Amino acid sequence: MSIEEIMSKLEELGTEQTKMTFLRHGAEEPLFGVKVGDMKKLVKYVKKDQELALALYETGNYDAMYLAGLSVRPKLMTKDQLQRWVSQATWHAPAEYTVASVAAESNYALELAREWIRSDVETTATCGWSTYSNFLSIAPDEDLDIEEIRSLLGEVERTIHQERNRVRYTMNGFVISVGTYVEALHDEAKAAAAHIGKVHVDVGNTACKVPLATAYIDKVESMNRVGQKRKTCIC
């Protein structure tokens, strides 16, 4: 399918109700308002065409950008392409989910995560924390820098409540990810979560909640799933 055909299909799948929901969450025009479940029906038409996936992201249409993230092959992404993607993420969802998950499965996951978390741009910084969190969920333990993760965990514990709004959200997610996927640091993540307590994030006029890290980690522990990795973080 051509990009014009894909865009036409996305427009057909969009609904005003879903669009309004996305707008309440911070989305910016243009977008059609396509539910993720409906969008996944189009992945098979894009997945083997890397250039088509890249072209979809370049449209700036949120639905097309999301589809690009579901369809692109992360290992073929260059660092420059990923830098361009994060610069085009104008609100938190594409930054924290689309770009972060693709970057986490790319060849530049840690390099970019380390760079992005230091950014003065909130969407870039939040993408950096989310990229690192996603990487922890899929990377074998032997690929992890335990001392670096421990240092970042301490940084989060010290600074999270003074950070920018969405950065607080993804820092909290980082603590959860360490406690869930890094068995060697599970106890330290639990202690950090307990010290941090409830994290306050302005989620606008939505029903979204910030997960309590202690409760989330305890639930994973109760299911004996600490240290179990995911096959992919793209969804």
Side-chain angles (χ1 to χ4, degrees):
M1 295 178 75
S2 67
I3 187 167
E4 291 80 13
E5 289 171 319
I6 293 290
M7 293 300 291
S8 179
K9 288 289 186 184
L10 284 171
E11 187 170 11
E12 289 174 14
L13 291 169
T15 68
E16 194 62 28
Q17 182 178 4
T18 302
K19 181 176 179 177
M20 292 307 297
T21 298
F22 289 161
L23 289 171
R24 282 198 302 273
H25 280 77
E28 298 180 3
E29 295 276 10
L31 72 161
F32 301 127
V34 183
K35 294 179 181 178
V36 176
D38 291 335
M39 185 182 299
K40 287 184 176 180
K41 300 171 186 175
L42 298 177
V43 170
K44 62 182 177 182
Y45 299 109
V46 184
K47 201 165 184 65
K48 294 183 180 180
D49 191 336
Q50 186 79 351
E51 292 308 310
L52 177 55
L54 295 173
L56 284 168
Y57 196 90
E58 288 293 323
T59 65
N61 178 289
Y62 173 62
D63 302 293
M65 294 167 81
Y66 198 112
L67 179 58
L70 293 176
S71 309
V72 79
R73 285 176 284 177
K75 294 298 184 186
L76 297 182
M77 293 288 283
T78 68
K79 186 163 71 169
D80 285 345
Q81 286 170 333
L82 290 164
Q83 294 281 29
R84 182 170 174 79
W85 274 33
V86 77
S87 71
Q88 292 174 297
T90 57
W91 65 293
H92 70 84
E96 294 174 21
Y97 303 106
T98 297
V99 183
S101 60
V102 172
E105 295 197 13
S106 76
N107 295 319
Y108 309 98
L110 290 178
E111 180 181 351
L112 289 174
R114 290 164 181 152
E115 175 186 333
W116 290 344
I117 62 176
R118 303 303 171 200
S119 176
D120 292 332
V121 180
E122 184 174 352
T123 50
T124 302
T126 198
C127 183
W129 286 104
S130 188
T131 297
Y132 212 129
S133 297
N134 277 301
F135 180 77
L136 296 180
S137 75
I138 59 173
D141 287 348
E142 55 266 27
D143 291 346
L144 303 181
D145 185 333
I146 297 298
E147 286 307 312
E148 177 178 71
I149 299 166
R150 177 178 282 124
S151 176
L152 289 171
L153 192 63
E155 178 181 339
V156 172
E157 188 174 356
R158 293 189 305 273
T159 67
I160 187 169
H161 295 298
Q162 290 76 50
E163 260 294 354
R164 291 154 289 178
N165 192 56
R166 291 303 303 190
V167 179
R168 294 197 296 274
Y169 189 91
T170 48
M171 277 183 157
N172 186 65
F174 179 80
V175 175
I176 290 172
S177 192
V178 174
T180 299
Y181 299 109
V182 187
E183 193 167 11
L185 294 176
H186 172 73
D187 290 338
E188 291 177 53
K190 284 184 66 175
H195 183 259
I196 290 167
K198 185 174 178 58
V199 176
H200 297 279
V201 176
D202 181 1
V203 295
N205 185 28
T206 73
C208 293
K209 307 241 182 236
V210 182
L212 185 64
T214 48
Y216 195 105
I217 295 170
D218 284 345
K219 183 177 179 180
V220 171
E221 187 175 24
S222 71
M223 295 187 292
N224 295 315
R225 291 174 55 185
V226 174
Q228 290 185 22
K229 305 288 183 170
R230 296 190 288 174
K231 291 183 179 179
T232 180
C233 54
I234 295 175
C235 59

